[in-house]
Amino acid sequence: MTTEAVYERLAAAQRALAQRPVDAILAALDRVCRRWLDRSDPVRREAEARIAAGTGLAPAMVAEGLDQMIRRVRGLPELLDADLGSRCALDRFVERPGGVRSMAFGPGLLVCVFSGNVPGIPAFDIALGLALKSACLVRPAAGEPDFAPLFARSVAEVDPGLGECLHVARWAHDEAGPYRRAGAVLAYGSDPSIAAIRRLVPDGVRFVGHGHRLSFACIAAPAATAETASRLALDVAMYDQQGCVSPHIAFVERGGPLSPAEFARAVADALVELQERMPRGRLTLAQAAALRGARDEAEFTADACFLSTGDLAWAVVHHEQPAFRPSPLGRFLYTCAVDRLADVADLVAPHAALLQTVAFAGPDADRLALAEALGRMGVTRVAQVGRVQEVHPLWRHDGRPTAGDLVRWVDVEPVVSPGLG
């Protein structure tokens, strides 16, 4: 529950923050990042231990994932310059083509609602809100409540003024009060959760929701190697395939060093090794039932099945007939053979509204041609196989300008006739 005193504190802190140069804010955030990238730092060590215990994710995976999330935060200066033309627009009016001068203003109070499938995600959005000179009211997920307050604590320890601009709390799902106070709302979750939050947000308050998405991999024939299979296995294993960027299926072009079926086996071999270093986390009863059902079906319909024995740790299911098959997740990857990667656009078209990331391996010319074709279908990101979980700092989440969706602009137009200014 949030109180009036909390809102008053955040408002006062935000007014002070608005007077600070954006580069000073970014410098403070970079000091926070340096702490988080030091694995011996007490807050970092506490976060690793609590997240691993609370989520069941492998400690090695949590550690690597936190590094990835914090490295993205360090790209905020470049992101602001890309989205706003110049981050200086947050400090003063800047010149634009045609003699127009423009200044950008953050939302004042950014309300963030996070899901718990990928630990560490709050770091970027909290830092972005502060960089936009806004206070942040943060609702962490019930399934992963530890990272956000620890990150806020580290901000306060590094820069008490910035720390005053943060408040982490959980409120009831149907409580509208925080959204009525917001200048913008940023939410992650299932599609029903996003819809429920949207209904609570008043008209005129900017709302950015990130719901369910589907991602997949495309492997060009020259890249169908054991090395590529090993990198793809890491994309599948990270966060136990729970992230929106995690591939559900890999389309493997025929004619490469490994046949599509051999490539599937190589992915399975790599998942065996990853299970030793990053064992898959615990499953809910529903997740286990879904995995068992998918395995049972695959035994009758697939051309090849590579399954962990004695448990549900991982599965690679191969089909020679191409089709898009959403995975039950939990390190369960479908692979299928295609004659040409150009055919993939038609295969994924029925899911166009949900498409997000493509993990690609192959020649750069093929990458660009495929990106154009899949971009028309709804894909918003093409990343290197093995790196899909570590998004580029300039990524436009779901194809939208990350900072640009949260700011309001004031434009001063030039005087064109003497005496009319």
Side-chain angles (χ1 to χ4, degrees), residues 2 23 32 63 78 84 86 102 145 169 179 188 193 198 215 232 249 280 325 332 358 372 395 416:
T2 51
D23 281 336
V32 175
E78 292 77 18
L84 307 181
S86 169
S102 301
Y179 309 114
Y188 294 82
S193 295
R198 187 189 296 271
S215 298
L232 178 60
I249 184 170
R280 202 224 45 227
R325 298 173 177 86
F332 189 113
V358 175
E372 180 177 354
W395 179 38
V416 295

Side-chain angles (χ1 to χ4, degrees), residues 284-285 287-298 312 328 332:
T284 65
L285 291 177
Q287 289 169 333
L291 287 171
R292 290 192 186 94
R295 283 176 169 232
D296 291 345
E297 179 185 4
L312 301 172
F332 189 113

Side-chain angles (χ1 to χ4, degrees), residues 258-283:
L258 297 179
S259 71
E262 291 170 336
F263 184 84
R265 180 184 290 277
V267 175
D269 291 342
L271 286 171
V272 172
E273 296 178 4
L274 283 169
Q275 179 65 12
E276 293 296 319
R277 182 164 63 91
M278 294 181 175
R280 202 224 45 227
R282 57 179 176 257
L283 297 170

